């Protein structure tokens, strides 16, 4: 199963998501390609497809990341990579999550790491 | 990484996708739950979340299925399960794909099986 993402600039968005997921962009893909993929698992690809229309509403499908490092460190790392905060749902007790957006405004969530979750549940 | 899907009726949609993917809905989930998941891989869940807003535009993220059986048989199976055809991109030479929609209108693609793809590429 692939996950396809409509976008204006597949290469730019793939480069961003490559940083997010720490996974390489397909070796033969170059700037200007209309379709660029990141292999995210066995037979699974995150595929960026060029489309003419722009994003207008909140995405009805989104990715939720469970980081290996602490949630707040991951949020800082992603902000530095070009993400923006859309909705900060982190609570004072350490639970909750952050909703970020990629450079084209696609929302995604950063959850607590498995370790953080285990410590508070 | 999870894939979250906003929807009006999480249980109904999860039951449909359970048929699509031939994977069970989470054992403790019941009709009326606001959040229902299908485990799609190691640490990966397809998560249906109840939201108040309805779908308004074509989804910017969508799933692409690579069936085990022949593409056209898979399309027939999914139509019987409650999907609808949105955009038929199947070509007379056997290449191409079909865009279907789930019961809440979320678009997804059905590609050719790996076997069909190998036979024509």
């Amino acid at each position: 199963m692939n996950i396809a993402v409509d976008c204006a600039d597949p290469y730019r968005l793939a480069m961003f998501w490559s940083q997010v997921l720490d996974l390489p962009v397909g070796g033969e893909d170059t700037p200007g390609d209309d379709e660029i993929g990141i292999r995210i698992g066995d037979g699974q690809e995150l595929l960026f497809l060029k489309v003419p229309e722009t994003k207008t509403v909140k995405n009805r499908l989104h990715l939720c990341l469970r980081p290996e490092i602490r949630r707040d460190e991951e949020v800082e790392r992603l902000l530095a990579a070009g993400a923006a905060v859309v909705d900060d749902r982190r609570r004072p007790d350490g639970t909750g999550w952050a909703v970020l957006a990629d450079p084209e405004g696609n929302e995604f969530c950063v959850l607590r790491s498995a370790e953080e979750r285990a410590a508070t549940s």
Side-chain angles (χ1 to χ4, degrees), chain A residues 25-93:
Chain A
V25 168
E28 293 175 12
D29 294 324
T30 53
D33 283 356
D34 286 349
E35 190 177 315
I36 294 192
I38 297 175
R39 192 185 158 90
I40 55 172
D42 186 32
Q44 289 187 332
E45 217 174 2
L46 185 61
L47 205 56
F48 298 91
L49 307 174
K50 189 175 171 70
V51 298
E53 69 273 18
T54 55
K55 180 172 188 286
T56 53
V57 300
K58 180 188 158 215
N59 285 349
R60 207 143 172 93
L61 268 73
H62 68 261
L63 303 181
C64 281
L65 309 177
R66 169 89 58 202
E68 300 287 327
I69 60 176
R70 292 174 59 80
R71 179 196 61 194
D72 294 351
E73 284 173 43
E74 178 71 345
V75 168
E76 289 309 312
R77 187 182 77 86
L78 297 174
L79 294 178
V85 176
V86 172
D87 190 8
D88 199 335
R89 301 283 191 102
R90 292 177 287 185
R91 299 187 198 98
D93 68 359

